[in-house]
Amino acid sequence: MWGEVRNVIQGSYAKGVVFEPYSFHRFTREINSKNIPDEIAEEIALIPSEYPGFLVAIAEIKMKEKVAS
């Protein structure tokens, strides 16, 4: 399911869909570093300009946790 979610968010963002400034706080209850797969987080972190900031922040948190472990 993550691949589909990522594709929808990426496609929407590329078409200019604007996400609310505080989306990060609202979505962290559902989308967080504990339930995003490593490979999806890596893909998002590698091309952050293609994703909204809240999703990039979650991916970066996941990568930091992975490195710290």
Side-chain angles (χ1 to χ4, degrees), residues 2-13:
W2 265 103
E4 292 176 32
V5 170
R6 183 207 52 226
N7 291 341
V8 168
I9 292 173
Q10 183 183 30
S12 299
Y13 191 69

Side-chain angles (χ1 to χ4, degrees), residues 1 8 22-23 28 32-33 35 38 40 54 60-61 66:
M1 182 169 143
V8 168
Y22 300 103
S23 294
T28 53
N32 59 52
S33 64
N35 63 23
D38 289 351
I40 299 291
F54 74 90
E60 288 177 346
I61 290 168
K66 186 177 177 182

